[in-house]
Amino acid sequence: MVTCQPIPKDDVMTCVEDCQKRGNSLIVVGRKDVAVVDPKGDVDRIFRQMLAVKNLDQASPLDVVLQQDILQLTPFFPADYEPVLMARMPQCVSGRWHPEFTDITANGADKGKGILAMARHEGFDPSRTMAFGDGGNDTSMILQAGIGVAMGNAIDDLKRQADYVTTSVDADGILNALRHFNVI
């Protein structure tokens, strides 16, 4: 493992207890396993049906996953509730990329820091990296990479911050960007 920054346990429990109290769906990503709490069917509707995520059927029980280091929390609630919860989780940052949920990680555990850690681990200059993204959770990575590419289907804010906007992910966006920059 190159780097790992778990969410502090008190912030994990703040989020878990908040979701349980409010009846909100929640995905908890541990170091080894994932738990899915889906009382409203949001995970099924969005992740399984809309986004076609397949491996959530292998989820572990919440109490098992909570014994591990927690690397990400994905609670389902509207954007206007986000500041309320995040004010109670001071050691975390939120990266919303969908109107119905957000990804929460520990402060400093973002994709931009991941780019830096991988470059350092592999022994090359981060300016020689290229990152592709489409959501708010990709902002730090797009800004940190040598070349930040927003997919055509990306949110507008990410497109404004990217060095280049390619076609959508479903229209060969990565291939088209790699050709644009003469990588292939």
Side-chain angles (χ1 to χ4, degrees):
M1 181 173 299
V2 175
T3 186
C4 182
Q5 191 168 353
I7 299 171
K9 289 292 184 187
D10 54 332
D11 282 356
V12 169
M13 294 314 299
T14 294
C15 185
V16 169
E17 290 166 3
D18 184 86
C19 286
Q20 289 172 334
K21 178 181 174 185
R22 296 170 52 85
N24 291 341
S25 297
L26 173 67
I27 299 172
V28 180
V29 180
R31 187 180 289 266
K32 296 179 183 176
D33 301 300
V34 174
V36 176
V37 180
D38 197 21
K40 295 181 180 177
D42 295 323
V43 175
D44 184 60
R45 179 175 53 82
I46 296 170
F47 275 76
R48 290 186 179 107
Q49 294 173 25
M50 290 173 53
L51 300 175
V53 175
K54 306 253 187 270
N55 59 352
L56 291 178
D57 295 334
Q58 302 160 1
S60 297
L62 179 62
D63 60 331
V64 170
V65 176
L66 288 176
Q67 300 304 310
Q68 303 169 23
D69 285 336
I70 303 303
L71 307 180
Q72 180 176 303
L73 298 162
T74 303
F76 288 69
F77 53 71
D80 62 351
Y81 185 69
E82 191 170 329
V84 175
L85 180 61
M86 295 311 296
R88 296 174 32 224
M89 298 175 67
Q91 301 171 88
C92 292
V93 64
S94 177
R96 183 171 289 270
W97 59 277
H98 191 279
E100 295 187 58
F101 63 84
T102 189
D103 290 338
I104 297 172
T105 56
N107 283 332
D110 61 46
K111 293 179 180 185
K113 293 215 173 39
I115 289 271
L116 294 175
M118 281 303 297
R120 188 172 41 252
H121 178 73
E122 294 297 322
F124 59 87
D125 189 315
S127 68
R128 300 192 42 86
T129 63
M130 182 181 286
F132 300 84
D134 60 3
N137 62 339
D138 296 320
T139 302
S140 65
M141 176 178 62
I142 292 296
L143 294 173
Q144 193 63 61
I147 299 173
V149 179
M151 305 306 293
N153 55 292
I155 62 172
D156 289 338
D157 187 53
L158 190 69
K159 287 179 181 178
R160 284 189 292 275
Q161 297 182 60
D163 299 307
Y164 180 73
V165 178
T166 187
T167 54
S168 77
V169 67
D170 293 327
D172 295 325
I174 293 174
L175 175 66
N176 292 333
L178 292 173
R179 286 182 176 154
H180 173 83
F181 287 103
N182 297 314
V183 174
I184 58 172

